Amino acid sequence: MSALALGLVLVAVFFLALALLHRYGDLRTQQRMVLLGTLTSWYLCFLIVFVLPLDVSTTIYNQCLLDNAPHPPPVTPTRISYMTENTSTLYPTKSTPSVCEKPWSYIPDGVLPVFWRVVYWTSQFLTWLLLPFMQSYARSGAFSLVGKVKAALVENAIYYGSYLLIFICLFIYVAVHPQWRLSWTEFETIGITAANTWGLFLLVLLLGYGLVEIPRSYWLSSSHDYLLAKTYFKVAKMASEKAAAEENLADVMEDVSAINASVKSNHPLRKCVDTVLTKCPIEYQEMSSDVEHPCEDLPVLTTKRGLAQLHKKVISAVQWCRQTRVQWSELVKHIVHLEDVAKSRSSPSCHFMRSFATTEHDGYIRRFIYTPKVEWYWECVFRQVFYKLLALLLFFLSVAVVWSECTFFSVHPVLSLLAIIVRITEQQRYYICTEVVCFVTVLFLCVCVYTTVFRIRIFNYYYLAPHHQTDAYSLQFSGMLFCRLTPPLCLNFLGLIHMDPAVSQQDRIRTSYTSIMGSMHLLSFISKGFYIYYPVLILLLCFGTIYNLGSRCLNLLGVHQYVADDHLSSDLVDEGKELVRRERRKRQKREDAQSGRFVWRERYGGVQSASGGSRTDYTEIKDNRETQTQRSSVVSFDWGEVDEQQSLLHSNDNDA
């Protein structure tokens, strides 16, 4: 049963990561290396979250065996690691104390240390070396493999240099200490400490925002008026960002057009120009080289290096434009749905009314289960109650986490709420409850951290869009982020429940996870100072988030954030309403035109098919193609460009 539990977790987590990658990425069009790197990073991080509770329950069982042995050996710091990796020699093999019941998910000795070592070092290799290199390689403007590799190394030199500097400082600190002798284990511990210190520094900042904002956002979202006003605000901001992205793309395309006209077919750099054109949107790829441009409009950098810089600008501009178009499409769909909810709330028939027919095919669930009547009850009645109950649950979780972060260093008495809960389940041998508490808490911390990153406006360049519309750069960024933050987050959680001896200073068997992380006694100023007292900063950040200090400061700096009692927010809400009205009129006209053509086809289709329908159909198809060609020459987005956006999003991923 023990091997079966771990095997089921490994298989289930793999399919979970694959399903999420299928939802956000495009498995058919995106680069295989991008998909493989993202899938591996997500899979490893999810494994840490799912297997860590099993490690905790297994450690509790081993501790029970040790405590109930006839003559338990003394637990010393030098024996802790040995007991974790080879516990079979410490416990009696003939008879097991009856008071210790083996958990259903017990993992045999020696399995978890190898498992954690493989998972941790593979994820660190991905996040610090491979994925940043792949990102820079994909965005490089060089035209050869060697040039792309060189540009990627130069671009990441600053980051690699900062990591190396931190490691050298820690290495010198340990080397000059007279009581320590450097070995490979201590050398490894220094690297892990440097990575965990960087991760913990960022974790505290993100948790201070997420622990307050996540429960508050669900509570406020239970009010439909608030949710509608905030979405109008987002529409106005996204419209301006989308216009800026399209203007930037148009400016870059002007430079490309000028170079395309100046570099003739017999020019030695013509092949590079053709490569740049392949990265442009479809409407720009067939630019005529016979177009005349004034001399003053021609770019001055017509060398290979100048073309490489232009190539990188094209990739960046196209990516930005795609992102804003996809976000605009999803946001407008969302606001129209919210307006339909507001209109349906007063429906006497208790049926949900849609303004426009859905573009998706109605499946079995929508036709027989999620009917308009069921949708009305969910959207207009039960959703508000559910969001409030969920907000209260998340609020209590946030309070427990904040209190535990501020008091987990207190061992006598134990003040950490999470440590008290785990200790109660440990005494009662409720291994299932222990695993559930650990899993729910770690999952909640992960949601707070990762949601905060993608909600903060400065990180909006990277956006996870569902329906296969996330680009390769955002997928790689998410993989890097998960691998960097998940290990220190789990290590911090073990400190909250007093399962990390470096924090609790107790004579207990360490979990296999903490044994792989190494003993922090090498760097006492980190293990006894930074790791213990820095998380208390979460309390100050939470108070700042409660009073919206961050949003108000960003508003003063010109980065607009939604604040209910702010005049600028009210103006943007009104602007968003007007933009939605325009989009509604555009779509209504389009649907009216389509319904008119459908009625005409139903009325006269039989006569035309008998007398020469093939000719009429050909003419209609030709007119439609000409109309689509004219529309594609316009960079702006409207309601009818959803399919075009999806093709635009992935058309150049294989070339990047």
Side-chain angles (χ1 to χ4, degrees):
M1 187 63 183
S2 57
L4 180 61
L6 183 59
L8 289 177
V9 170
L10 295 177
V11 175
V13 170
F14 174 78
F15 283 105
L16 174 62
L18 185 62
L20 291 177
L21 182 61
H22 175 68
R23 172 176 172 80
Y24 291 101
D26 195 331
L27 302 181
R28 294 177 297 177
T29 60
Q30 287 177 332
Q31 284 182 313
R32 295 295 177 263
M33 291 301 298
V34 172
L35 295 175
L36 181 60
T38 304
L39 178 62
T40 305
S41 59
W42 288 9
Y43 178 57
L44 295 177
C45 294
F46 293 163
L47 278 180
I48 296 177
V49 175
F50 279 82
V51 179
L52 186 66
L54 308 184
D55 190 3
V56 172
S57 62
T58 301
T59 304
I60 291 176
Y61 173 71
N62 291 335
Q63 183 67 42
C64 177
L65 294 179
L66 181 64
D67 294 339
N68 291 275
H71 300 286
V75 181
T76 60
T78 58
R79 293 176 59 87
I80 291 178
S81 178
Y82 175 75
M83 292 191 314
T84 304
E85 299 184 5
N86 191 9
T87 55
S88 59
T89 60
L90 293 176
Y91 310 127
T93 57
K94 295 183 179 180
S95 62
T96 302
S98 59
V99 70
C100 301
E101 298 180 3
K102 181 180 292 187
W104 72 277
S105 58
Y106 177 77
I107 300 176
D109 302 328
V111 175
L112 281 178
V114 177
F115 172 82
W116 286 128
R117 187 173 287 108
V118 172
V119 169
Y120 179 78
W121 287 111
T122 305
S123 64
Q124 295 306 297
F125 173 75
L126 287 173
T127 186
W128 297 107
L129 297 176
L130 185 59
L131 289 179
F133 178 82
M134 290 175 61
Q135 267 196 321
S136 301
Y137 179 88
R139 288 185 294 182
S140 173
F143 299 99
S144 63
L145 177 63
V146 177
K148 287 180 176 291
V149 171
K150 182 179 178 181
L153 292 176
V154 171
E155 184 174 347
N156 287 276
I158 299 178
Y159 301 101
Y160 296 152
S162 61
Y163 306 150
L164 184 62
L165 180 62
I166 296 175
F167 179 80
I168 291 176
C169 293
L170 296 177
F171 179 80
I172 295 176
Y173 174 81
V174 175
V176 299
H177 202 283
Q179 299 179 355
W180 297 331
R181 294 181 180 180
L182 286 179
S183 62
W184 173 252
T185 302
E186 296 175 346
F187 191 79
E188 180 180 328
T189 301
I190 294 175
I192 295 176
T193 303
N196 289 339
T197 302
W198 185 94
L200 183 62
F201 176 79
L202 186 59
L203 274 175
V204 170
L205 300 180
L206 297 176
L207 283 175
Y209 177 84
L211 290 173
V212 174
E213 189 61 29
I214 300 300
R216 182 169 62 181
S217 64
Y218 278 102
W219 180 267
L220 295 177
S221 296
S222 63
S223 173
H224 187 76
D225 295 334
Y226 171 86
L227 188 60
L228 198 62
K230 187 174 182 179
T231 310
Y232 282 133
F233 175 85
K234 293 181 180 179
V235 168
K237 287 192 64 177
M238 184 53 61
S240 60
E241 184 176 349
K242 174 173 164 290
E246 292 172 348
E247 182 179 356
N248 177 64
L249 178 62
D251 294 339
V252 175
M253 290 302 104
E254 288 183 1
D255 296 340
V256 174
S257 178
I259 285 188
N260 182 53
S262 61
V263 178
K264 303 302 180 181
S265 58
N266 57 352
H267 197 279
L269 296 178
R270 183 64 209 180
K271 186 177 180 180
C272 298
V273 175
D274 293 337
T275 303
V276 174
L277 290 177
T278 59
K279 303 300 176 61
C280 299
I282 299 177
E283 61 268 21
Y284 293 100
Q285 291 185 8
E286 297 180 356
M287 295 178 181
S288 175
S289 59
D290 298 331
V291 180
E292 297 291 339
H293 291 269
C295 295
E296 61 271 15
D297 293 338
L298 292 177
V300 295
L301 296 177
T302 55
T303 61
K304 190 171 184 178
R305 183 177 180 181
L307 287 177
Q309 295 177 354
L310 180 62
H311 189 196
K312 186 175 182 179
K313 290 173 59 179
V314 168
I315 295 174
S316 178
V318 171
Q319 176 193 353
W320 186 23
C321 191
R322 289 176 190 163
Q323 285 283 31
T324 54
R325 289 182 179 184
V326 171
Q327 294 179 54
W328 173 260
S329 173
E330 297 296 326
L331 190 58
V332 173
K333 288 180 183 178
H334 181 57
I335 189 62
V336 170
H337 175 74
L338 293 178
E339 290 182 344
D340 292 342
V341 173
K343 183 174 60 176
S344 301
R345 292 173 67 183
S346 58
S347 173
S349 60
C350 298
H351 275 68
F352 190 82
M353 299 178 295
R354 294 183 178 274
S355 300
F356 306 100
T358 178
T359 57
E360 301 177 356
H361 298 288
D362 293 338
Y364 176 82
I365 296 179
R366 182 169 291 277
R367 284 186 297 174
F368 299 102
I369 300 178
Y370 197 61
T371 60
K373 194 175 189 66
V374 175
E375 187 175 4
W376 185 89
Y377 276 104
W378 165 250
E379 293 290 349
C380 303
V381 180
F382 296 119
R383 188 185 64 84
Q384 300 179 6
V385 178
F386 175 76
Y387 273 30
K388 287 185 178 180
L389 293 177
L390 182 60
L392 290 176
L393 176 62
L394 296 178
F395 169 74
F396 289 122
L397 277 175
S398 296
V399 171
V401 170
V402 173
W403 177 264
S404 300
E405 290 282 3
C406 297
T407 59
F408 74 95
F409 53 84
S410 176
V411 181
H412 302 289
V414 178
L415 299 178
S416 173
L417 292 179
L418 297 177
I420 293 174
I421 295 174
V422 172
R423 178 168 294 186
I424 293 174
T425 59
E426 177 183 357
Q427 293 174 352
Q428 300 297 327
R429 303 295 182 261
Y430 294 151
Y431 296 110
I432 296 290
C433 296
T434 302
E435 294 170 359
V436 170
V437 169
C438 294
F439 176 74
V440 171
T441 306
V442 174
L443 183 62
F444 175 65
L445 293 176
C446 292
V447 170
C448 290
V449 171
Y450 302 143
T451 305
T452 300
V453 171
F454 289 102
R455 280 190 178 185
I456 296 177
R457 194 60 187 167
I458 193 173
F459 290 105
N460 200 49
Y461 182 73
Y462 299 98
Y463 179 75
L464 291 178
H467 309 297
H468 323 291
Q469 297 189 13
T470 305
D471 62 283
Y473 312 103
S474 297
L475 291 175
Q476 292 173 335
F477 175 78
S478 65
M480 292 167 49
L481 184 74
F482 293 169
C483 291
R484 292 185 186 184
L485 297 183
T486 303
L489 184 146
C490 292
L491 186 62
N492 176 254
F493 167 75
L494 292 176
L496 297 182
I497 62 175
H498 291 179
M499 296 292 289
D500 185 3
V503 175
S504 62
Q505 301 297 327
Q506 295 178 340
D507 289 339
R508 291 179 57 93
I509 299 177
R510 291 194 299 174
T511 61
S512 299
Y513 186 81
T514 53
S515 67
I516 297 304
M517 290 297 175
S519 177
M520 295 295 111
H521 72 278
L522 289 176
L523 306 170
S524 57
F525 72 96
I526 292 180
S527 61
K528 298 181 180 179
F530 182 78
Y531 276 9
I532 294 179
Y533 299 106
Y534 177 70
V536 181
L537 183 62
I538 288 180
L539 185 62
L540 300 178
L541 296 174
C542 288
F543 278 113
T545 307
I546 291 174
Y547 294 102
N548 294 318
L549 296 182
S551 299
R552 298 181 188 277
C553 293
L554 290 176
N555 281 333
L556 294 177
L557 296 176
V559 182
H560 304 311
Q561 302 292 317
Y562 181 75
V563 181
D565 55 353
D566 186 65
H567 295 290
L568 181 59
S569 298
S570 301
D571 295 339
L572 290 177
V573 168
D574 296 335
E575 182 181 348
K577 292 180 180 179
E578 182 60 31
L579 290 172
V580 174
R581 292 193 195 101
R582 295 178 185 176
E583 296 296 336
R584 278 185 171 273
R585 288 195 295 266
K586 289 180 182 179
R587 185 171 184 181
Q588 189 63 51
K589 290 180 181 179
R590 184 171 293 106
E591 289 202 350
D592 292 342
Q594 291 178 356
S595 62
R597 285 195 297 268
F598 177 77
V599 171
W600 184 88
R601 200 158 41 238
E602 287 290 328
R603 184 174 300 177
Y604 302 104
V607 179
Q608 294 293 337
S609 61
S611 60
S614 60
R615 180 68 178 175
T616 305
D617 293 340
Y618 174 78
T619 306
E620 184 179 358
I621 293 174
K622 182 179 179 181
D623 293 340
N624 290 338
R625 288 180 177 177
E626 292 176 357
T627 304
Q628 292 177 1
T629 304
Q630 293 174 0
R631 289 177 182 173
S632 64
S633 62
V634 182
V635 181
S636 61
F637 171 82
D638 55 34
W639 282 85
E641 293 179 346
V642 177
D643 295 335
E644 181 183 355
Q645 287 179 9
Q646 188 169 359
S647 62
L648 274 174
L649 185 64
H650 308 295
S651 59
N652 293 330
D653 281 347
N654 292 326
D655 299 328

